[in-house]
Amino acid sequence: MIRTMSLTFSVLLSLSGVAMAAEPIEGNWKTESGATAAITSCGGAFCVTLKTGEYAGKQIGKLSGKGKEYTGEITDPEDDKTYEGSGSVNGNSLKMKGCVLKIFCKSQTWTRL
């Protein structure tokens, strides 16, 4: 019985460590241009919508994933072109990257508000 309880406690403790490692992408983020982007859950993915700035109201991305890594599509609002994209959360920073052919990439680091 004590072994079973000890094993159960060890499993629960390790699972709580996994949960703590996950960093949610949802929330409001300040982009490098100074605009605010909201990332919200939408149909099993996460939609990226600009809330302030010249392109306020425009959805500029849709990412899927969990933990710290997300992939999907990112749209450059200036030229309205969509690229293969990714987002990587590290604390209060979000590194967003858009690529053409996985070779030509541009990235920005956003800050959680």
Side-chain angles (χ1 to χ4, degrees):
M1 173 97 169
I2 292 177
R3 259 189 201 179
T4 303
M5 288 177 61
S6 191
L7 179 62
T8 302
F9 180 75
S10 295
V11 169
L12 289 174
L13 190 59
S14 68
L15 289 176
S16 69
V18 169
M20 291 173 75
E23 298 187 54
I25 195 169
E26 288 181 282
N28 292 314
W29 298 87
K30 184 174 184 174
T31 68
E32 284 189 357
S33 70
T36 299
I39 301 180
T40 58
S41 180
C42 63
F46 298 97
C47 291
V48 183
T49 305
L50 292 173
K51 293 297 183 183
T52 64
E54 183 178 351
Y55 302 100
K58 183 171 181 70
Q59 182 177 320
I60 61 164
K62 193 168 191 177
L63 303 170
S64 298
K66 59 183 176 179
K68 295 182 178 188
E69 302 296 323
Y70 300 84
T71 58
E73 295 182 337
I74 302 291
T75 301
D76 182 344
E78 288 185 29
D79 61 12
D80 206 35
K81 290 186 180 177
T82 301
Y83 304 95
E84 185 176 322
S86 65
S88 178
V89 181
N90 186 6
N92 288 326
S93 294
L94 172 61
K95 183 175 181 181
M96 296 292 280
K97 182 165 53 170
C99 299
V100 175
L101 302 174
K102 296 184 181 182
I103 299 172
F104 304 105
C105 301
K106 287 187 177 181
S107 63
Q108 292 187 2
T109 300
W110 296 359
T111 305
R112 188 183 301 275
L113 296 174

Short mmCIF file of all heavy atoms in Angstrom, two decimals, residues 23-84:
data_model
loop_
_atom_site.label_atom_id
_atom_site.label_comp_id
_atom_site.label_asym_id
_atom_site.label_seq_id
_atom_site.Cartn_x
_atom_site.Cartn_y
_atom_site.Cartn_z
N GLU A 23 3.80 26.92 -21.28
CA GLU A 23 3.65 28.36 -21.20
C GLU A 23 2.59 28.75 -22.22
O GLU A 23 2.82 28.62 -23.42
CB GLU A 23 4.98 29.05 -21.47
CG GLU A 23 6.02 28.68 -20.43
CD GLU A 23 7.29 29.48 -20.58
OE1 GLU A 23 7.20 30.71 -20.59
OE2 GLU A 23 8.34 28.84 -20.68
N PRO A 24 1.45 29.25 -21.77
CA PRO A 24 0.36 29.54 -22.70
C PRO A 24 0.69 30.69 -23.65
O PRO A 24 1.33 31.67 -23.27
CB PRO A 24 -0.80 29.91 -21.78
CG PRO A 24 -0.14 30.41 -20.53
CD PRO A 24 1.13 29.61 -20.40
N ILE A 25 0.25 30.54 -24.87
CA ILE A 25 0.44 31.58 -25.87
C ILE A 25 -0.71 32.60 -25.83
O ILE A 25 -0.57 33.72 -26.30
CB ILE A 25 0.58 30.96 -27.28
CG1 ILE A 25 1.14 31.98 -28.27
CG2 ILE A 25 -0.74 30.37 -27.75
CD1 ILE A 25 1.56 31.40 -29.59
N GLU A 26 -1.83 32.19 -25.23
CA GLU A 26 -2.99 33.07 -25.17
C GLU A 26 -2.70 34.32 -24.34
O GLU A 26 -1.99 34.26 -23.35
CB GLU A 26 -4.19 32.35 -24.56
CG GLU A 26 -4.78 31.31 -25.49
CD GLU A 26 -5.97 30.63 -24.87
OE1 GLU A 26 -5.76 29.74 -24.02
OE2 GLU A 26 -7.09 30.99 -25.23
N GLY A 27 -3.25 35.43 -24.80
CA GLY A 27 -3.09 36.68 -24.07
C GLY A 27 -2.84 37.84 -25.00
O GLY A 27 -2.97 37.73 -26.22
N ASN A 28 -2.48 38.98 -24.43
CA ASN A 28 -2.17 40.18 -25.19
C ASN A 28 -0.67 40.37 -25.24
O ASN A 28 0.02 40.23 -24.23
CB ASN A 28 -2.84 41.40 -24.56
CG ASN A 28 -4.35 41.33 -24.69
OD1 ASN A 28 -4.88 41.02 -25.75
ND2 ASN A 28 -5.06 41.61 -23.61
N TRP A 29 -0.18 40.72 -26.43
CA TRP A 29 1.25 40.84 -26.67
C TRP A 29 1.54 42.17 -27.36
O TRP A 29 0.80 42.59 -28.25
CB TRP A 29 1.74 39.70 -27.57
CG TRP A 29 1.55 38.35 -26.98
CD1 TRP A 29 0.43 37.56 -27.05
CD2 TRP A 29 2.49 37.63 -26.19
NE1 TRP A 29 0.64 36.39 -26.36
CE2 TRP A 29 1.89 36.40 -25.82
CE3 TRP A 29 3.79 37.89 -25.77
CZ2 TRP A 29 2.55 35.44 -25.06
CZ3 TRP A 29 4.44 36.94 -25.00
CH2 TRP A 29 3.83 35.73 -24.66
N LYS A 30 2.65 42.80 -26.98
CA LYS A 30 3.09 44.01 -27.65
C LYS A 30 4.06 43.61 -28.75
O LYS A 30 5.07 42.95 -28.48
CB LYS A 30 3.78 44.96 -26.67
CG LYS A 30 4.16 46.29 -27.29
CD LYS A 30 4.70 47.24 -26.26
CE LYS A 30 4.99 48.59 -26.89
NZ LYS A 30 5.37 49.58 -25.90
N THR A 31 3.76 44.00 -29.98
CA THR A 31 4.60 43.65 -31.12
C THR A 31 5.79 44.61 -31.19
O THR A 31 5.82 45.62 -30.51
CB THR A 31 3.81 43.72 -32.44
OG1 THR A 31 3.49 45.09 -32.71
CG2 THR A 31 2.52 42.90 -32.37
N GLU A 32 6.75 44.30 -32.06
CA GLU A 32 7.90 45.18 -32.22
C GLU A 32 7.52 46.54 -32.77
O GLU A 32 8.19 47.53 -32.52
CB GLU A 32 8.96 44.51 -33.10
CG GLU A 32 9.74 43.45 -32.37
CD GLU A 32 10.93 42.92 -33.15
OE1 GLU A 32 11.16 43.35 -34.31
OE2 GLU A 32 11.65 42.07 -32.60
N SER A 33 6.40 46.62 -33.51
CA SER A 33 5.96 47.91 -34.05
C SER A 33 5.23 48.75 -33.00
O SER A 33 4.91 49.90 -33.25
CB SER A 33 5.05 47.70 -35.26
OG SER A 33 3.80 47.15 -34.84
N GLY A 34 4.95 48.15 -31.84
CA GLY A 34 4.25 48.86 -30.77
C GLY A 34 2.76 48.58 -30.72
O GLY A 34 2.07 49.02 -29.80
N ALA A 35 2.23 47.85 -31.70
CA ALA A 35 0.81 47.49 -31.70
C ALA A 35 0.56 46.38 -30.67
O ALA A 35 1.49 45.69 -30.24
CB ALA A 35 0.39 47.01 -33.09
N THR A 36 -0.69 46.23 -30.30
CA THR A 36 -1.09 45.14 -29.40
C THR A 36 -1.76 44.04 -30.23
O THR A 36 -2.65 44.32 -31.03
CB THR A 36 -2.07 45.62 -28.32
OG1 THR A 36 -1.42 46.63 -27.54
CG2 THR A 36 -2.52 44.49 -27.42
N ALA A 37 -1.31 42.80 -30.04
CA ALA A 37 -1.91 41.63 -30.69
C ALA A 37 -2.53 40.76 -29.62
O ALA A 37 -1.92 40.53 -28.57
CB ALA A 37 -0.86 40.86 -31.46
N ALA A 38 -3.75 40.29 -29.88
CA ALA A 38 -4.42 39.38 -28.96
C ALA A 38 -4.37 37.98 -29.56
O ALA A 38 -4.68 37.79 -30.74
CB ALA A 38 -5.86 39.80 -28.75
N ILE A 39 -3.95 37.02 -28.75
CA ILE A 39 -3.94 35.62 -29.19
C ILE A 39 -4.99 34.90 -28.37
O ILE A 39 -4.93 34.86 -27.15
CB ILE A 39 -2.55 34.99 -29.02
CG1 ILE A 39 -1.52 35.78 -29.83
CG2 ILE A 39 -2.59 33.52 -29.45
CD1 ILE A 39 -0.10 35.25 -29.74
N THR A 40 -6.00 34.38 -29.08
CA THR A 40 -7.14 33.73 -28.44
C THR A 40 -7.38 32.35 -29.05
O THR A 40 -6.99 32.09 -30.19
CB THR A 40 -8.41 34.57 -28.60
OG1 THR A 40 -8.66 34.77 -30.00
CG2 THR A 40 -8.28 35.93 -27.92
N SER A 41 -8.04 31.51 -28.30
CA SER A 41 -8.41 30.19 -28.78
C SER A 41 -9.50 30.34 -29.84
O SER A 41 -10.44 31.12 -29.67
CB SER A 41 -8.92 29.36 -27.60
OG SER A 41 -9.27 28.08 -28.04
N CYS A 42 -9.35 29.61 -30.95
CA CYS A 42 -10.37 29.67 -32.01
C CYS A 42 -10.40 28.34 -32.76
O CYS A 42 -9.49 28.02 -33.50
CB CYS A 42 -10.11 30.84 -32.95
SG CYS A 42 -8.57 30.76 -33.88
N GLY A 43 -11.41 27.57 -32.54
CA GLY A 43 -11.60 26.33 -33.28
C GLY A 43 -10.46 25.35 -33.21
O GLY A 43 -10.04 24.82 -34.23
N GLY A 44 -9.92 25.09 -32.04
CA GLY A 44 -8.85 24.13 -31.88
C GLY A 44 -7.47 24.68 -32.19
O GLY A 44 -6.49 23.96 -32.19
N ALA A 45 -7.38 25.96 -32.48
CA ALA A 45 -6.10 26.61 -32.76
C ALA A 45 -6.06 27.92 -31.97
O ALA A 45 -6.91 28.15 -31.10
CB ALA A 45 -5.96 26.87 -34.25
N PHE A 46 -5.10 28.76 -32.28
CA PHE A 46 -4.97 30.07 -31.65
C PHE A 46 -4.91 31.12 -32.74
O PHE A 46 -4.03 31.07 -33.61
CB PHE A 46 -3.71 30.13 -30.77
CG PHE A 46 -3.75 29.15 -29.64
CD1 PHE A 46 -3.11 27.93 -29.75
CD2 PHE A 46 -4.45 29.44 -28.48
CE1 PHE A 46 -3.15 27.01 -28.72
CE2 PHE A 46 -4.49 28.53 -27.44
CZ PHE A 46 -3.85 27.31 -27.56
N CYS A 47 -5.85 32.07 -32.72
CA CYS A 47 -5.89 33.15 -33.70
C CYS A 47 -5.14 34.36 -33.16
O CYS A 47 -5.26 34.71 -32.00
CB CYS A 47 -7.33 33.53 -34.01
SG CYS A 47 -8.20 32.24 -34.93
N VAL A 48 -4.37 34.99 -34.06
CA VAL A 48 -3.61 36.18 -33.73
C VAL A 48 -4.29 37.36 -34.42
O VAL A 48 -4.36 37.39 -35.65
CB VAL A 48 -2.14 36.07 -34.21
CG1 VAL A 48 -1.35 37.29 -33.78
CG2 VAL A 48 -1.50 34.78 -33.71
N THR A 49 -4.80 38.31 -33.63
CA THR A 49 -5.53 39.46 -34.17
C THR A 49 -4.94 40.74 -33.61
O THR A 49 -4.73 40.86 -32.41
CB THR A 49 -7.03 39.38 -33.80
OG1 THR A 49 -7.54 38.12 -34.23
CG2 THR A 49 -7.81 40.50 -34.44
N LEU A 50 -4.67 41.69 -34.50
CA LEU A 50 -4.16 42.98 -34.05
C LEU A 50 -5.30 43.78 -33.41
O LEU A 50 -6.39 43.88 -33.97
CB LEU A 50 -3.56 43.75 -35.22
CG LEU A 50 -2.28 43.14 -35.79
CD1 LEU A 50 -1.85 43.88 -37.04
CD2 LEU A 50 -1.17 43.15 -34.75
N LYS A 51 -5.05 44.34 -32.25
CA LYS A 51 -6.06 45.10 -31.51
C LYS A 51 -5.83 46.60 -31.62
O LYS A 51 -6.76 47.38 -31.45
CB LYS A 51 -6.08 44.68 -30.03
CG LYS A 51 -6.55 43.27 -29.82
CD LYS A 51 -7.97 43.14 -30.30
CE LYS A 51 -8.52 41.76 -30.05
NZ LYS A 51 -9.87 41.61 -30.57
N THR A 52 -4.59 47.02 -31.84
CA THR A 52 -4.28 48.44 -31.97
C THR A 52 -3.36 48.64 -33.17
O THR A 52 -2.88 47.67 -33.76
CB THR A 52 -3.57 48.99 -30.71
OG1 THR A 52 -2.30 48.34 -30.57
CG2 THR A 52 -4.40 48.78 -29.45
N GLY A 53 -3.14 49.88 -33.52
CA GLY A 53 -2.24 50.18 -34.63
C GLY A 53 -2.99 50.34 -35.94
O GLY A 53 -4.22 50.29 -36.00
N GLU A 54 -2.23 50.52 -36.99
CA GLU A 54 -2.77 50.78 -38.33
C GLU A 54 -3.67 49.66 -38.83
O GLU A 54 -4.61 49.90 -39.58
CB GLU A 54 -1.60 50.98 -39.29
CG GLU A 54 -2.01 51.33 -40.69
CD GLU A 54 -0.82 51.57 -41.62
OE1 GLU A 54 0.33 51.62 -41.14
OE2 GLU A 54 -1.06 51.70 -42.82
N TYR A 55 -3.40 48.43 -38.44
CA TYR A 55 -4.15 47.28 -38.94
C TYR A 55 -5.06 46.66 -37.87
O TYR A 55 -5.34 45.46 -37.91
CB TYR A 55 -3.18 46.23 -39.49
CG TYR A 55 -2.32 46.80 -40.60
CD1 TYR A 55 -1.01 47.20 -40.34
CD2 TYR A 55 -2.82 46.97 -41.88
CE1 TYR A 55 -0.22 47.73 -41.34
CE2 TYR A 55 -2.04 47.51 -42.89
CZ TYR A 55 -0.74 47.90 -42.62
OH TYR A 55 0.03 48.44 -43.62
N ALA A 56 -5.51 47.47 -36.92
CA ALA A 56 -6.37 46.99 -35.83
C ALA A 56 -7.58 46.24 -36.40
O ALA A 56 -8.20 46.67 -37.37
CB ALA A 56 -6.83 48.16 -34.97
N GLY A 57 -7.86 45.09 -35.80
CA GLY A 57 -8.99 44.26 -36.22
C GLY A 57 -8.62 43.18 -37.22
O GLY A 57 -9.42 42.30 -37.50
N LYS A 58 -7.44 43.24 -37.78
CA LYS A 58 -7.02 42.27 -38.79
C LYS A 58 -6.42 41.02 -38.13
O LYS A 58 -5.55 41.12 -37.29
CB LYS A 58 -5.98 42.90 -39.72
CG LYS A 58 -5.54 41.98 -40.85
CD LYS A 58 -4.69 42.74 -41.84
CE LYS A 58 -4.24 41.88 -42.98
NZ LYS A 58 -5.29 41.50 -43.91
N GLN A 59 -6.93 39.86 -38.55
CA GLN A 59 -6.35 38.61 -38.09
C GLN A 59 -5.09 38.37 -38.90
O GLN A 59 -5.12 38.35 -40.13
CB GLN A 59 -7.32 37.44 -38.26
CG GLN A 59 -6.74 36.14 -37.73
CD GLN A 59 -7.70 34.97 -37.82
OE1 GLN A 59 -8.88 35.13 -37.57
NE2 GLN A 59 -7.18 33.82 -38.19
N ILE A 60 -3.96 38.19 -38.20
CA ILE A 60 -2.69 38.03 -38.90
C ILE A 60 -2.05 36.66 -38.69
O ILE A 60 -0.90 36.45 -39.08
CB ILE A 60 -1.69 39.13 -38.48
CG1 ILE A 60 -1.39 39.07 -36.98
CG2 ILE A 60 -2.19 40.50 -38.92
CD1 ILE A 60 -0.16 39.86 -36.57
N GLY A 61 -2.77 35.75 -38.08
CA GLY A 61 -2.17 34.43 -37.91
C GLY A 61 -3.11 33.43 -37.28
O GLY A 61 -4.12 33.78 -36.68
N LYS A 62 -2.74 32.17 -37.47
CA LYS A 62 -3.45 31.06 -36.85
C LYS A 62 -2.41 29.99 -36.57
O LYS A 62 -1.75 29.51 -37.49
CB LYS A 62 -4.55 30.54 -37.77
CG LYS A 62 -5.52 29.61 -37.09
CD LYS A 62 -6.73 29.36 -37.96
CE LYS A 62 -7.81 28.66 -37.17
NZ LYS A 62 -9.02 28.48 -37.97
N LEU A 63 -2.24 29.66 -35.28
CA LEU A 63 -1.21 28.72 -34.86
C LEU A 63 -1.83 27.57 -34.08
O LEU A 63 -2.84 27.75 -33.40
CB LEU A 63 -0.18 29.43 -33.98
CG LEU A 63 0.52 30.64 -34.58
CD1 LEU A 63 1.32 31.37 -33.51
CD2 LEU A 63 1.43 30.20 -35.71
N SER A 64 -1.20 26.42 -34.15
CA SER A 64 -1.60 25.25 -33.37
C SER A 64 -0.40 24.77 -32.58
O SER A 64 0.74 24.93 -33.01
CB SER A 64 -2.09 24.13 -34.29
OG SER A 64 -3.23 24.53 -35.01
N GLY A 65 -0.67 24.15 -31.47
CA GLY A 65 0.40 23.58 -30.66
C GLY A 65 0.06 23.68 -29.20
O GLY A 65 -1.05 24.06 -28.82
N LYS A 66 1.04 23.33 -28.37
CA LYS A 66 0.86 23.42 -26.92
C LYS A 66 2.23 23.47 -26.29
O LYS A 66 3.24 23.24 -26.95
CB LYS A 66 0.04 22.25 -26.39
CG LYS A 66 0.64 20.89 -26.66
CD LYS A 66 -0.28 19.81 -26.17
CE LYS A 66 0.30 18.44 -26.53
NZ LYS A 66 -0.53 17.37 -26.06
N GLY A 67 2.25 23.79 -25.01
CA GLY A 67 3.52 23.90 -24.33
C GLY A 67 4.19 25.21 -24.65
O GLY A 67 3.67 26.26 -24.33
N LYS A 68 5.31 25.15 -25.33
CA LYS A 68 6.06 26.35 -25.69
C LYS A 68 6.14 26.58 -27.19
O LYS A 68 6.52 27.65 -27.63
CB LYS A 68 7.49 26.26 -25.15
CG LYS A 68 7.58 26.23 -23.65
CD LYS A 68 9.03 26.18 -23.23
CE LYS A 68 9.15 26.20 -21.73
NZ LYS A 68 10.52 26.34 -21.28
N GLU A 69 5.81 25.58 -28.00
CA GLU A 69 6.00 25.66 -29.45
C GLU A 69 4.68 25.60 -30.20
O GLU A 69 3.85 24.73 -29.95
CB GLU A 69 6.91 24.52 -29.91
CG GLU A 69 8.27 24.49 -29.25
CD GLU A 69 9.12 25.71 -29.56
OE1 GLU A 69 9.06 26.21 -30.70
OE2 GLU A 69 9.84 26.17 -28.66
N TYR A 70 4.53 26.51 -31.17
CA TYR A 70 3.31 26.62 -31.96
C TYR A 70 3.70 26.80 -33.42
O TYR A 70 4.68 27.46 -33.73
CB TYR A 70 2.48 27.81 -31.48
CG TYR A 70 2.09 27.68 -30.02
CD1 TYR A 70 2.95 28.08 -29.01
CD2 TYR A 70 0.87 27.13 -29.66
CE1 TYR A 70 2.61 27.94 -27.68
CE2 TYR A 70 0.52 26.99 -28.33
CZ TYR A 70 1.40 27.39 -27.34
OH TYR A 70 1.06 27.24 -26.03
N THR A 71 2.91 26.23 -34.34
CA THR A 71 3.17 26.38 -35.78
C THR A 71 1.86 26.67 -36.50
O THR A 71 0.78 26.37 -36.02
CB THR A 71 3.80 25.10 -36.37
OG1 THR A 71 2.92 24.00 -36.15
CG2 THR A 71 5.16 24.81 -35.77
N GLY A 72 1.99 27.26 -37.67
CA GLY A 72 0.81 27.57 -38.47
C GLY A 72 1.15 28.57 -39.55
O GLY A 72 2.16 28.43 -40.25
N GLU A 73 0.29 29.60 -39.68
CA GLU A 73 0.47 30.62 -40.70
C GLU A 73 0.48 32.01 -40.07
O GLU A 73 -0.25 32.27 -39.12
CB GLU A 73 -0.66 30.56 -41.73
CG GLU A 73 -0.67 29.29 -42.53
CD GLU A 73 -1.78 29.28 -43.58
OE1 GLU A 73 -2.77 30.01 -43.41
OE2 GLU A 73 -1.63 28.55 -44.56
N ILE A 74 1.32 32.88 -40.64
CA ILE A 74 1.43 34.26 -40.20
C ILE A 74 1.28 35.15 -41.43
O ILE A 74 1.88 34.87 -42.47
CB ILE A 74 2.81 34.54 -39.55
CG1 ILE A 74 3.05 33.63 -38.35
CG2 ILE A 74 2.95 36.00 -39.17
CD1 ILE A 74 2.17 33.91 -37.17
N THR A 75 0.48 36.20 -41.32
CA THR A 75 0.29 37.14 -42.42
C THR A 75 0.96 38.46 -42.09
O THR A 75 0.77 39.00 -41.01
CB THR A 75 -1.22 37.37 -42.68
OG1 THR A 75 -1.82 36.12 -42.99
CG2 THR A 75 -1.44 38.34 -43.82
N ASP A 76 1.73 38.98 -43.04
CA ASP A 76 2.32 40.30 -42.90
C ASP A 76 1.22 41.30 -43.26
O ASP A 76 0.77 41.33 -44.41
CB ASP A 76 3.52 40.45 -43.84
CG ASP A 76 4.21 41.80 -43.72
OD1 ASP A 76 3.62 42.74 -43.16
OD2 ASP A 76 5.34 41.91 -44.20
N PRO A 77 0.75 42.11 -42.31
CA PRO A 77 -0.38 42.99 -42.60
C PRO A 77 -0.05 44.09 -43.62
O PRO A 77 -0.94 44.58 -44.29
CB PRO A 77 -0.73 43.60 -41.24
CG PRO A 77 0.50 43.48 -40.43
CD PRO A 77 1.21 42.25 -40.94
N GLU A 78 1.23 44.43 -43.78
CA GLU A 78 1.60 45.48 -44.73
C GLU A 78 1.39 45.07 -46.18
O GLU A 78 0.89 45.84 -46.98
CB GLU A 78 3.05 45.92 -44.51
CG GLU A 78 3.24 46.71 -43.24
CD GLU A 78 4.65 47.24 -43.09
OE1 GLU A 78 5.33 47.47 -44.11
OE2 GLU A 78 5.07 47.40 -41.93
N ASP A 79 1.79 43.84 -46.52
CA ASP A 79 1.64 43.40 -47.91
C ASP A 79 0.58 42.31 -48.08
O ASP A 79 0.35 41.83 -49.18
CB ASP A 79 2.98 42.94 -48.49
CG ASP A 79 3.58 41.75 -47.76
OD1 ASP A 79 2.89 41.11 -46.95
OD2 ASP A 79 4.77 41.46 -48.01
N ASP A 80 -0.07 41.93 -46.98
CA ASP A 80 -1.14 40.93 -46.96
C ASP A 80 -0.70 39.58 -47.53
O ASP A 80 -1.48 38.86 -48.11
CB ASP A 80 -2.38 41.46 -47.69
CG ASP A 80 -3.65 40.80 -47.19
OD1 ASP A 80 -3.73 40.49 -45.98
OD2 ASP A 80 -4.57 40.56 -47.99
N LYS A 81 0.57 39.24 -47.35
CA LYS A 81 1.08 37.94 -47.78
C LYS A 81 1.18 37.02 -46.57
O LYS A 81 1.56 37.45 -45.49
CB LYS A 81 2.44 38.08 -48.44
CG LYS A 81 2.37 38.77 -49.79
CD LYS A 81 3.70 38.77 -50.48
CE LYS A 81 3.57 39.48 -51.83
NZ LYS A 81 4.86 39.58 -52.51
N THR A 82 0.83 35.75 -46.79
CA THR A 82 0.83 34.76 -45.71
C THR A 82 2.02 33.83 -45.85
O THR A 82 2.36 33.39 -46.95
CB THR A 82 -0.49 33.96 -45.72
OG1 THR A 82 -1.57 34.89 -45.56
CG2 THR A 82 -0.54 32.95 -44.59
N TYR A 83 2.65 33.54 -44.70
CA TYR A 83 3.87 32.73 -44.66
C TYR A 83 3.70 31.58 -43.67
O TYR A 83 2.87 31.65 -42.77
CB TYR A 83 5.06 33.59 -44.23
CG TYR A 83 5.26 34.80 -45.10
CD1 TYR A 83 4.72 36.03 -44.77
CD2 TYR A 83 5.98 34.69 -46.29
CE1 TYR A 83 4.90 37.14 -45.58
CE2 TYR A 83 6.18 35.80 -47.11
CZ TYR A 83 5.63 37.02 -46.75
OH TYR A 83 5.81 38.11 -47.56
N GLU A 84 4.52 30.57 -43.84
CA GLU A 84 4.60 29.49 -42.85
C GLU A 84 5.15 30.13 -41.59
O GLU A 84 6.16 30.85 -41.62
CB GLU A 84 5.55 28.41 -43.36
CG GLU A 84 5.61 27.20 -42.47
CD GLU A 84 6.49 26.11 -43.09
OE1 GLU A 84 6.44 25.94 -44.31
OE2 GLU A 84 7.20 25.47 -42.31
#
